[in-house]
Amino acid sequence: GEFNINCKVGLGFRLGQDSLTIDATAFFRNETPDYFLNHYQSNHYQWENDFRKLYRFRVGGEVAYPTRWFVPRLQVYYESVQNLIYFSHLEGPQQASGNISVIAADLTANITTPWVNLDNHLIYQYTSSSLIPVPALTLYHNLYYHGTWFKALDAQIGVDLNYNTSYYAPYLNAALGQFAVQDQIKVGNYPQMNVYASFYVRLLHLRFFAQYRHFNATFMNRQYYSMPYYPTAPDEFRAGLAFHFYN
């Protein structure tokens, strides 16, 4: 009774001096749960389940119009899940009844100039159930200089930022090695910023870099967590060197 149907349609045409591409994808899946979700025994957990099959339907599309200076791309998806299997606090796997929907919009808009570049990535997500927790908004920005010095040295110097709104992120159940849903602790609503410099010597095939990660921890509230009970690493300095042995 299982099936997996995938569909994809693509279209591209010239628009001005550049090309516009449109892609649409969809899949229909009816999947039997993994054996260990139904039958499991260890030192800390044991269960015998008879879970129903998971039915998943997803449809989405992508529009991209890359130009010389501006590279935009928009992806929009809708997914429906029935009979979702999830892990809850201090319990084994559970199966939800009914349908859960997730909607996502993923926008990439990169700006390129001969000297300064700005990469922008924005994701909006909506879920109809707390059993699939996601942040409503996720942002990534990277402002950097990229150029060639003395016709032999590629240089990239910049600063980037990661941010997402607060949400009830799953926590890690170490005994099972699985993430479980929870509704007690929210994480997020905290930016992480890094400053970096990377250089590549073409003639020697040599790359070296330096990075100061999470430098905003020196002047912002230190109560930050990447997921429940796991603090984000504090600010730190990194440096590296790579040499490629090839002609």
Side-chain angles (χ1 to χ4, degrees):
E2 291 187 278
F3 60 81
N4 186 351
I5 302 173
N6 297 275
C7 311
K8 183 175 181 179
V9 178
L11 173 67
F13 56 89
R14 297 286 295 181
L15 183 62
Q17 296 182 347
D18 301 288
S19 298
L20 176 70
T21 60
I22 302 175
D23 294 308
T25 60
F27 67 67
F28 307 84
R29 296 176 183 172
N30 198 39
E31 304 171 327
T32 300
D34 185 84
Y35 175 84
F36 290 107
L37 292 175
N38 279 320
H39 315 284
Y40 185 79
Q41 186 170 1
S42 70
N43 292 335
H44 304 285
Y45 289 89
Q46 63 179 9
W47 58 73
E48 287 291 331
N49 298 313
D50 186 20
F51 289 140
R52 302 180 299 276
K53 288 184 172 64
L54 281 74
Y55 175 78
R56 298 175 60 195
F57 165 71
R58 179 172 178 172
V59 61
E62 174 183 317
V63 179
Y65 184 59
T67 66
R68 181 180 179 184
W69 307 109
F70 184 51
V71 184
R73 185 189 66 177
L74 175 63
Q75 297 174 297
V76 179
Y77 292 98
Y78 167 80
E79 183 164 347
S80 172
V81 183
Q82 293 183 7
N83 303 327
L84 173 73
I85 297 176
Y86 64 96
F87 287 84
S88 60
H89 181 61
L90 298 180
E91 296 181 2
Q94 311 289 317
Q95 187 162 50
S97 59
N99 179 75
I100 300 176
S101 299
V102 178
I103 300 173
D106 186 331
L107 175 64
T108 300
N110 299 335
I111 301 173
T112 303
T113 72
W115 298 100
V116 179
N117 304 275
L118 177 61
D119 295 345
N120 302 284
H121 194 185
L122 182 151
I123 301 175
Y124 169 78
Q125 299 174 102
Y126 167 79
T127 176
S128 63
S129 172
S130 61
L131 298 181
I132 304 181
V134 293
L137 187 65
T138 302
L139 302 174
Y140 172 74
H141 302 285
N142 185 18
L143 177 65
Y144 61 97
Y145 158 83
H146 183 226
T148 301
W149 298 351
F150 314 111
K151 299 182 180 181
L153 180 66
D154 292 334
Q156 181 172 330
I157 304 171
V159 58
D160 62 11
L161 176 146
N162 288 280
Y163 171 84
N164 62 264
T165 53
S166 62
Y167 72 112
Y168 291 109
Y171 80 98
L172 179 63
N173 185 327
L176 288 173
Q178 298 287 336
F179 284 94
V181 297
Q182 56 88 27
D183 58 1
Q184 302 296 320
I185 301 175
K186 280 190 173 183
V187 300
N189 195 29
Y190 180 86
Q192 179 169 325
M193 303 176 66
N194 313 296
V195 60
Y196 64 90
S198 176
F199 303 93
Y200 179 70
V201 183
R202 298 179 181 179
L203 182 62
L204 301 177
H205 304 296
L206 176 69
R207 181 182 299 278
F208 57 95
F209 76 93
Q211 182 185 47
Y212 187 20
R213 290 176 52 86
H214 197 185
F215 71 86
N216 56 303
T218 59
F219 56 85
M220 294 188 68
N221 182 6
R222 291 180 174 269
Q223 300 299 319
Y224 41 82
Y225 288 79
S226 57
M227 63 181 183
Y229 313 113
Y230 285 80
T232 302
D235 56 309
E236 61 180 350
F237 177 79
R238 293 181 176 183
L241 180 69
F243 182 76
H244 302 279
F245 291 92
Y246 63 84
N247 295 325

